[in-house]
Amino acid sequence: MIDDILDADEVAKLLKLNEQTVKRLANRGELPGFKIGGRWRFRREAIEEYIRRLEQQQSDQKRDD
């Protein structure tokens, strides 16, 4: 269960982004997460769904082009 919750650094490594980019996306509401004690936390399942949504959006855009 503990591995199901990721911190910003772990999400950054997973997405191959800078940690500050992860925090900025989360602050904007673009990346699904929540704060505990002022620190961002992310459910692994929500991040995986976020990736699937991005893939689908890009696939749909390619078909429209």
Side-chain angles (χ1 to χ4, degrees), residues 41-62:
R41 296 293 182 254
F42 306 86
R43 284 186 309 112
R44 180 180 297 277
E45 181 181 319
I47 297 302
E48 290 171 352
E49 177 59 30
Y50 171 79
I51 293 167
R52 284 190 288 275
R53 247 189 353 263
L54 287 177
E55 290 173 333
Q56 186 61 48
Q57 287 172 357
Q58 291 177 12
S59 177
D60 291 347
Q61 286 176 353
K62 286 181 184 177

Side-chain angles (χ1 to χ4, degrees), residues 10-26:
E10 292 169 317
V11 172
K13 289 176 183 169
L14 181 67
L15 298 177
K16 298 191 181 346
L17 295 172
N18 183 284
E19 185 178 348
Q20 292 303 316
T21 302
V22 168
K23 291 176 182 179
R24 187 171 50 252
L25 290 170

